[in-house]
Amino acid sequence: MFASPLYFWTISAKLKAFIERFYCIAEEDPNPPLGRYEKYPVKDCALLMTSADDFFWTFEQAVSYYQFTLIHYIGFHDKGMLLAGGCGDTNGKAQIDQTTHLREAYEFGKNLYLE
């Protein structure tokens, strides 16, 4: 599970640094797809994010990074995303309690491994 507030339209620097450290668990791949030379253990992952604003493009860059890096390149199994926009204002006042996102997050977690 990867969780981050949205900072400048992408994941936080701390989460990005954590993901970049996955390189140390890579192993050589003798039959690399797409020219890659490493493979990673297959793990499940999901993306949880919050944002003050909620425009149609708000999470576009963060979702692109998640899908390319974790799903397509590293090869983790995508368990979904919960993108909670409209959780505050630019002055830092939290407003997530005025949204349905907390209930959605609870249901998302509860249903993550039902299948």
Side-chain angles (χ1 to χ4, degrees), residues 7-8 11 14 19 34-35 38-39 41 46 51 59 77 80 97-98 100 103 108 115:
Y7 289 150
F8 286 90
I11 63 173
K14 287 183 179 184
I19 292 167
L34 305 174
E38 72 269 7
K39 63 181 176 180
S51 172
F59 294 101
H77 177 248
D97 59 336
Q98 298 172 24
T100 60
R103 170 55 78 184
F108 181 81
E115 72 248 7

Side-chain angles (χ1 to χ4, degrees), residues 91-111:
N91 295 325
K93 184 177 179 188
Q95 299 173 1
I96 195 168
D97 59 336
Q98 298 172 24
T99 71
T100 60
H101 297 313
L102 295 175
R103 170 55 78 184
E104 293 166 3
Y106 174 78
E107 292 298 324
F108 181 81
K110 190 169 87 172
N111 295 312

